[in-house]
């Protein structure tokens, strides 16, 4: 009876972690209601134009007025950017409609990169790029440390992705009632917990550093997103589930 209860608990917990992982992995893949609500961070640039006004820049062309303009083509900055596991999206102020783009490096794997500075510069019209660069790079914050952010965010995203795979394997082996499958299920559940916990820690540290730009009065503000907390919830659920695999 005790073993049956342990089996039931770890299956339910691992299934819950798997469902949460699915939501994490669909974050910011489109501007639809659910994916747009799920993101690691939101970057608000709505006051960037005011900060540039002190440089007498031609602000009329800073922001795009067409929500369907493609990202990364210098057609205008979006007031809101949000970033997920595989992509990032840009929308106009106060609106959900917009466009999304894979955030990976050209010719590399599908995992995204958390690098809002580069994406903002890529959207900035050519005549304003130097002004935006000098404004955002003046405080020397992590926000503009693109190489650092791209390297460590890729590591965090890969760990979170691997955790989803390990969770699926743990769930599959855990529902097969043999001693050996329970043992392997416990091993994979432990691996899932370790990878997602380390990935979440790296990502949280990066976002905390990026948020230092909030205090620089540059018109760019970074906010935590729901998906980051979902990753931590996944880690907690897997931590609780792991002992039950070995008890079963």
């Amino acid at each position: 009876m005790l073993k049956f209860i342990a089996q039931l608990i770890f299956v339910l917990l691992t299934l819950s972690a798997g469902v949460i992982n699915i939501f994490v992995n669909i974050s910011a893949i489109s501007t639809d209601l659910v994916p747009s609500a799920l993101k690691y961070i939101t970057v608000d640039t709505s006051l960037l134009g005011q900060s540039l006004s002190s440089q007498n820049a031609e602000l009329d062309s800073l922001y795009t007025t067409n929500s369907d303009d493609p990202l990364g083509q210098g057609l205008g900055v979006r007031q809101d950017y949000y970033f997920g596991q595989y992509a990032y999206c840009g929308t106009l102020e106060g609106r959900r409609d917009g466009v999304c783009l894979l955030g990976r490096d050209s010719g590399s794997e599908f995992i995204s990169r958390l690098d809002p500075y580069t994406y903002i510069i890529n959207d900035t019209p050519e005549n304003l790029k130097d002004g935006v660069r000098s404004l955002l790079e003046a405080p020397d914050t992590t926000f503009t440390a693109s190489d650092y952010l791209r390297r460590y965010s890729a590591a965090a995203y890969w760990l979170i992705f691997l955790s989803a795979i390990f969770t699926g394997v743990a769930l599959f082996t855990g529902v097969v009632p043999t001693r050996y499958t329970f043992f392997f299920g416990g091993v994979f559940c432990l691996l899932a917990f370790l990878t997602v916990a380390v990935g979440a820690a790296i990502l949280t540290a990066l976002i905390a550093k990026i948020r230092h730009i909030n205090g620089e009065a540059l018109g760019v503000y970074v906010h935590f997103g729901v998906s980051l907390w979902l990753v931590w919830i996944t880690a907690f659920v897997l931590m609780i589930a792991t002992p039950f695999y070995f008890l079963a």
Side-chain angles (χ1 to χ4, degrees), residues 11-73:
V11 168
L12 291 176
L13 288 175
T14 310
L15 179 61
S16 299
V19 171
I20 298 172
N21 254 319
I22 291 174
F23 282 107
V24 169
N25 278 270
I26 66 170
S27 59
I29 61 172
S30 76
T31 57
D32 293 337
L33 181 60
V34 174
S36 65
L38 301 170
K39 56 260 188 179
Y40 288 126
I41 66 167
T42 300
V43 179
D44 179 0
T45 68
S46 58
L47 297 178
L48 179 60
Q50 293 183 21
S51 298
L52 279 177
S53 64
S54 61
Q55 302 179 4
N56 298 317
E58 300 174 21
L59 299 181
D60 291 341
S61 62
L62 175 62
Y63 298 106
T64 184
T65 57
N66 184 359
S67 61
D68 293 326
D69 281 345
L71 295 167
Q73 303 297 317

Side-chain angles (χ1 to χ4, degrees), residues 57-224:
E58 300 174 21
L59 299 181
D60 291 341
S61 62
L62 175 62
Y63 298 106
T64 184
T65 57
N66 184 359
S67 61
D68 293 326
D69 281 345
L71 295 167
Q73 303 297 317
L75 299 177
V77 175
R78 275 58 169 182
Q79 285 89 347
D80 293 299
Y81 292 88
Y82 48 92
F83 297 80
Q85 180 79 4
Y86 306 107
Y88 74 100
C89 304
T91 60
L92 303 186
E93 187 174 15
R95 297 170 59 178
R96 200 183 74 236
D97 58 321
V99 292
C100 300
L101 185 69
L102 291 177
R104 63 183 178 85
D105 287 333
S106 178
S108 68
E109 68 278 353
F110 57 89
I111 292 295
S112 184
R113 303 291 189 273
L114 183 60
D115 184 13
Y117 169 73
T118 294
Y119 301 137
I120 291 172
I121 294 299
N122 288 344
D123 282 336
T124 303
E126 195 63 38
N127 62 316
L128 298 177
K129 284 186 186 293
D130 290 340
V132 173
R133 283 196 187 98
S134 62
L135 177 68
L136 297 181
E137 292 178 1
D140 191 24
T141 64
T142 304
F143 185 85
T144 58
S146 294
D147 290 341
Y148 171 82
L149 290 175
R150 297 179 84 84
R151 181 168 62 253
Y152 284 99
S153 63
Y157 288 157
W158 266 113
L159 288 169
I160 294 169
F161 172 73
L162 289 174
S163 174
I165 295 177
F166 292 148
T167 301
V169 175
L171 179 62
F172 177 76
T173 56
V175 297
V176 180
T178 70
R179 180 180 302 177
Y180 296 109
T181 54
F182 288 150
F183 173 78
F184 284 114
V187 171
F188 279 106
C189 190
L190 179 60
L191 287 173
F193 161 67
L194 292 175
T195 50
V196 75
V198 174
I202 294 173
L203 199 55
T204 303
L206 288 179
I207 297 173
K209 289 184 176 182
I210 293 174
R211 279 171 51 85
H212 289 169
I213 199 172
N214 292 2
E216 299 295 338
L218 300 178
V220 176
Y221 297 91
V222 179
H223 308 285
F224 288 108

